[in-house]
Amino acid sequence: MTIDEGATVGEGSEIEDRAKVRHLVRIGEQATIGKSAELQAGTVIGDGSSIGSRSRLEGTFGDELKVGTRSRLLGGATWGHSAEIGEGVRVQVDQRSRFADGTDLADKASISDSYVRGELSMGDGATVAGGKESLSMLGDGVAIGAGASLNGAIRVRDGVEVGESAQLEGPARRNPESLPTELDADCEVLDRARIQPGARLGERTLVGSSTEVGTQVVTGAGTEIGSRAAVGDFSRLNGSVIGDGALIGHGVDTGHAAHVGEGVVVEDNAVIEPYARVEDEGYVPRGSVICESEA
């Protein structure tokens, strides 16, 4: 093992063969540092932590940290207590990130070009890769399912849940015409759904499984979009309900409490006014206006 000058090791801690403890590292009591692990300069490891073999860490980590083998937690972030990190995890974030107590990153999860502001849960193989010029942001209490991917500049607020194998896309580069994809508090995006760049989902928006939401779609608070539906680019759903299998064209506007039934086809630039209802399997021609009185 290698322990550089200025490093301190707490009582009862064990450092296994070929591990490297760099300058000014502080290791708490009853911690275990696995074989060939490396703690980079200035890193702090809390009491009762366990670091798997061949892992590399940089930052400030709370008590009872558990890290699997071959993981990389780099960039100098601050981590709370009782974080659970699986095998082969890759995190490259800067010092702005604050991972809260109870953060749980499963095997082969990865985060890059992003910053985190709270408790985070990620399933096996989930990926967050922000834009190179515009970072992604993850709020508190965010859960990302196994195999899900968030790519580009995406703002995810508190309490958002992203299902397994869902795909969220944001712009990869910053320019005046590129809006970040935004999910407001308590949104839920179910398994295999796809969100295109520039979409803005209001609080408590629900996107059903295998549904696609187009570029720069905007939803109001409490919007519900069913499973296997599609919403075209630049549409605005203002607190409406969209049924399973519905096809919403480009530039469609649906008002507050409007209801579009299952299997409905709404063509481009149509308007469904507040409280209006389109029954299951209905059809709304291009540019039409559906009023409540017509329901």
Side-chain angles (χ1 to χ4, degrees):
M1 74 183 74
T2 300
I3 301 179
D4 288 353
E5 182 180 357
T8 59
V9 180
E11 183 177 353
S13 291
E14 298 182 5
I15 301 175
E16 298 183 1
D17 294 345
R18 298 187 298 279
K20 299 177 181 179
V21 179
R22 297 305 188 187
H23 186 62
L24 296 178
V25 165
R26 287 185 290 149
I27 301 173
E29 299 179 356
Q30 306 297 324
T32 301
I33 311 302
K35 293 181 179 179
S36 301
E38 180 179 352
L39 306 182
Q40 297 194 355
T43 293
V44 176
I45 303 294
D47 297 343
S49 295
S50 175
I51 311 302
S53 63
R54 299 183 182 276
S55 288
R56 295 175 59 198
L57 277 70
E58 178 187 20
T60 300
F61 299 86
D63 298 339
E64 304 296 333
L65 169 70
K66 307 297 181 188
V67 179
T69 61
R70 299 178 184 273
S71 287
R72 304 284 186 270
L73 310 180
L74 303 176
T78 298
W79 299 69
H81 303 307
S82 302
E84 296 268 355
I85 311 300
E87 299 183 356
V89 173
R90 298 288 185 269
V91 176
Q92 180 69 61
V93 295
D94 62 27
Q95 296 178 352
R96 290 177 292 177
S97 287
R98 300 288 187 269
F99 292 84
D101 297 351
T103 287
D104 185 354
L105 308 184
D107 295 348
K108 297 184 178 179
S110 67
I111 308 173
S112 61
D113 295 316
S114 306
Y115 60 97
V116 177
R117 294 294 178 86
E119 183 180 353
L120 175 63
S121 173
M122 295 179 67
D124 291 347
T127 301
V128 178
K132 295 295 184 181
E133 300 172 6
S134 183
L135 302 182
S136 282
M137 183 278 289
L138 303 179
D140 187 32
V142 172
I144 301 173
S149 62
L150 285 69
N151 298 308
I154 301 175
R155 307 286 184 262
V156 179
R157 311 297 179 185
D158 298 351
V160 168
E161 298 184 16
V162 178
E164 296 183 3
S165 300
Q167 299 179 38
L168 280 64
E169 302 291 336
R173 296 185 178 277
R174 182 183 299 168
N175 66 66
E177 297 181 356
S178 294
L179 298 173
T181 300
E182 298 190 23
L183 281 68
D184 281 345
D186 301 317
C187 286
E188 188 171 0
V189 178
L190 300 186
D191 299 350
R192 300 178 302 282
R194 297 184 62 188
I195 310 296
Q196 298 298 334
R200 304 182 66 182
L201 307 186
E203 293 183 2
R204 305 184 311 282
T205 291
L206 170 66
V207 178
S209 59
S210 301
T211 284
E212 180 160 350
V213 175
T215 298
Q216 296 190 33
V217 167
V218 176
T219 71
T223 297
E224 297 183 15
I225 306 173
S227 299
R228 304 177 308 283
V231 180
D233 301 342
F234 306 106
S235 290
R236 304 179 68 88
L237 312 179
N238 299 297
S240 315
V241 175
I242 307 300
D244 295 346
L247 301 178
I248 308 298
H250 303 307
V252 170
D253 193 325
T254 66
H256 174 72
H259 187 283
V260 176
E262 296 183 8
V264 168
V265 175
V266 181
E267 292 200 338
D268 298 350
N269 301 317
V271 175
I272 313 296
E273 293 195 340
Y275 301 99
R277 183 180 184 91
V278 181
E279 299 298 336
D280 293 352
E281 308 300 330
Y283 172 72
V284 178
R286 180 187 303 268
S288 298
V289 177
I290 305 299
C291 303
E292 181 185 5
S293 60
E294 299 174 4

